C-alpha cells in the first residue's frame, strides 16, 4: 500500500473529529471564534512538530522563497474562509449533511489542479470522482421527492451553495498548499509539509487575531475561556493537517481529496451516535456511493 493512503485516511478521521468539536463550539463561540480555535490552538503544535523533525531526526530546514510565501498566503486565507463557511453550515443542516455538501471538493480540486498545476487524471479516476459526486447529490435530495426539478432546487438552495462554495474554497486551499510544499527545496516530503503547515497556521492565527480584535474583542476572551475544548480542536486540526499536507506532497491533490471522502463514513457515525441526528435511507445510499467512488479511485 502506498504511504499516502493510510496517511489520508488518518487525516480524514481527525478532520471529522475536529469538525464535530467545532460544531459543539459554534453555539458558544460563534462562527468566527469556532473557526479560529482550529488555527490558534494548533500552530504551537505545528511548530513543535517541525522542531522535533529538525532536532530529533536531523532533517534540515528548507529554504523559503517568494513562491512559497505566495501559495502559503493564498492557501491560508482560502482555508480560513472555507472553514467559516463549513462551521456556519452546521447551523443550517445536520452534521452529516453539512459535511457532505462540502465534499464536491475533489472535483473542484481536480479542476484547479489541472488549471494551476497541469495535473492529469485517468478516465477511471474521473469516473470514480463523478460517482462520489452523485452520492453527494443524493444526500442533498434525501428529504424531498426525487425529480429533476427538486435536484436543481436542492443544488441551488442557500444551504447547498454555501456547502459547494466551502468545497470550492477548500479545493483552492489544497492546490495552494501542494504548490507551496513543492516549491520548497527540502530534505524530504515530510519536512516540506511540516514547514508549510507551521508557516501557514502561524499566519492564519495572526490574521484571525487581528480580525477578531477589530470586529469583536469579546470573541478572543471567549476563545481563551473555552481553552479545554478549543485545544482539542487545535490538536486534532493540526495533526490532521500534517497528514493532509504530507499526503498532498506525495500524491496529486485530486486523488488525496477523493480518498478523503471516506470522512463521510466517520461523519455519519458521529451524526448518529454523538449528535443523535436522524439519517435517511437516501443519505445512507449517497454515503455508500461516495465509498464506491473512493474504491473506484484507488483501483483506477
Amino acid at each position: 500500500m502506498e504511504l499516502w493512503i493510510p496517511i489520508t485516511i488518518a487525516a480524514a478521521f481527525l478532520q471529522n473529529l475536529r469538525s464535530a468539536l467545532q460544531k459543539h463550539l459554534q453555539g458558544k463561540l460563534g462562527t468566527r471564534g469556532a473557526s479560529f480555535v482550529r488555527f490558534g490552538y494548533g500552530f504551537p503544535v505545528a511548530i513543535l512538530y517541525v522542531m522535533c523533525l529538525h532536532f530529533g531526526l536531523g532533517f534540515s530546514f528548507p529554504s523559503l522563497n517568494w513562491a512559497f510565501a505566495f501559495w502559503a498566503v493564498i492557501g491560508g486565507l482560502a482555508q480560513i474562509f472555507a472553514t467559516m463557511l463549513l462551521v456556519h453550515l452546521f447551523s443550517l443542516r445536520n452534521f452529516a449533511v453539512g459535511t457532505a455538501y462540502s465534499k464536491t471538493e475533489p472535483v473542484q480540486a481536480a479542476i484547479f489542479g489541472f488549471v494551476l498545476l497541469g495535473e492529469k487524471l485517468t478516465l477511471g479516476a474521473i469516473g470514480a470522482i463523478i460517482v462520489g459526486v452523485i452520492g453527494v447529490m443524493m444526500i442533498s435530495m434525501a428529504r424531498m421527492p426525487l425529480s429533476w426539478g427538486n435536484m436543481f432546487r436542492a443544488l441551488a438552495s442557500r444551504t447547498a451553495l454555501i456547502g459547494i462554495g466551502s468545497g470550492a474554497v477548500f479545493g483552492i486551499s489544497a492546490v495552494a498548499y501542494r504548490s507551496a510544499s513543492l516549491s520548497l527545496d527540502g530534505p524530504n516530503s515530510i519536512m516540506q509539509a511540516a514547514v508549510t503547515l507551521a508557516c501557514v497556521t502561524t499566519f492564519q492565527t495572526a490574521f484571525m487575531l487581528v480580525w477578531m480584535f477589530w470586529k469583536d474583542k469579546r470573541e478572543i476572551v471567549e476563545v481563551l475561556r473555552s481553552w479545554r475544548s478549543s485545544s482539542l480542536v487545535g490538536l486534532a486540526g493540526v495533526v490532521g493537517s500534517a497528514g493532509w499536507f504530507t499526503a498532498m506532497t506525495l500524491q496529486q491533490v485530486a486523488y488525496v481529496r477523493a480518498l478523503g471522502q471516506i470522512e463521510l463514513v466517520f461523519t455519519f457515525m458521529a451524526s448518529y451516535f454523538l449528535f443523535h441526528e436522524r439519517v435517511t435511507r437516501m443519505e445512507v445510499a449517497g454515503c455508500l456511493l461516495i465509498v464506491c467512488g473512493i474504491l473506484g479511485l484507488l483501483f483506477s
Side-chain angles (χ1 to χ4, degrees):
M1 180 183 293
E2 296 184 48
L3 183 60
W4 70 274
I5 295 176
I7 290 176
T8 299
I9 293 173
F13 174 79
L14 289 168
Q15 178 167 294
N16 178 71
L17 175 61
R18 186 212 71 225
S19 295
L21 292 169
Q22 282 180 303
K23 174 180 171 66
H24 175 71
L25 286 172
Q26 200 264 348
K28 182 190 300 183
L29 302 180
T31 298
R32 189 165 41 232
S35 301
F36 168 78
V37 296
R38 170 182 183 175
F39 315 114
Y41 284 92
F43 87 92
V45 181
I47 293 174
L48 180 62
Y49 178 44
V50 171
M51 294 298 104
C52 289
L53 291 177
H54 178 66
F55 294 107
L57 299 180
F59 295 161
S60 60
F61 290 115
S63 299
L64 305 183
N65 53 69
W66 286 111
F68 169 81
F70 172 79
W71 287 115
V73 169
I74 294 297
L77 292 175
Q79 189 178 39
I80 286 173
F81 292 110
T83 300
M84 291 184 67
L85 285 172
L86 183 60
V87 171
H88 176 62
L89 190 60
F90 292 151
S91 66
L92 303 178
R93 288 293 295 269
N94 68 36
F95 181 64
V97 175
T99 303
Y101 272 125
S102 69
K103 291 307 172 185
T104 53
E105 178 191 351
V107 173
Q108 300 182 77
I111 294 171
F112 295 137
F114 174 77
V115 173
L116 298 177
L117 304 180
E119 295 179 340
K120 301 295 190 298
L121 294 171
T122 66
L123 288 176
I126 293 172
I129 292 173
I130 290 173
V131 169
V133 172
I134 292 173
V136 173
M137 293 171 65
M138 288 182 65
I139 291 171
S140 71
M141 295 182 59
R143 300 177 188 275
M144 59 181 65
L146 187 62
S147 70
W148 287 106
N150 283 338
M151 182 185 74
F152 288 118
R153 278 190 290 273
L155 294 177
S157 67
R158 177 170 174 257
T159 304
L161 292 177
I162 290 174
I164 293 170
S166 173
V169 187
F170 271 129
I172 292 172
S173 72
V175 172
Y177 287 152
R178 174 169 167 81
S179 300
S181 185
L182 292 177
S183 71
L184 295 175
D185 186 18
N188 52 52
S189 58
I190 294 176
M191 190 60 170
Q192 289 170 227
V195 170
T196 302
L197 174 63
C199 290
V200 167
T201 51
T202 301
F203 161 73
Q204 289 170 322
T205 299
F207 178 87
M208 289 206 72
L209 275 175
V210 172
W211 189 10
M212 291 165 68
F213 185 83
W214 175 49
K215 282 290 190 181
D216 190 348
K217 300 180 184 65
R218 290 173 300 177
E219 290 181 332
I220 299 176
V221 176
E222 290 301 322
V223 165
L224 292 174
R225 285 177 177 170
S226 66
W227 67 270
R228 289 183 179 85
S229 51
S230 295
S231 59
L232 292 177
V233 175
L235 180 62
V238 78
V239 176
S241 292
W244 289 124
F245 281 37
T246 303
M248 289 186 292
T249 305
L250 295 170
Q251 182 55 272
Q252 291 184 25
V253 173
Y255 288 96
V256 173
R257 285 310 200 186
L259 176 56
Q261 287 188 349
I262 198 171
E263 180 192 352
L264 272 181
V265 177
F266 306 134
T267 297
F268 271 88
M269 292 173 65
S271 180
Y272 184 79
F273 291 109
L274 293 181
F275 299 115
H276 307 291
E277 295 170 338
R278 187 171 62 88
V279 180
T280 68
R281 291 181 179 179
M282 186 171 287
E283 288 171 341
V284 173
C287 186
L288 291 176
L289 272 183
I290 291 171
V291 173
C292 290
I294 292 169
L295 295 175
L297 180 77
L298 295 178
F299 290 107
S300 65

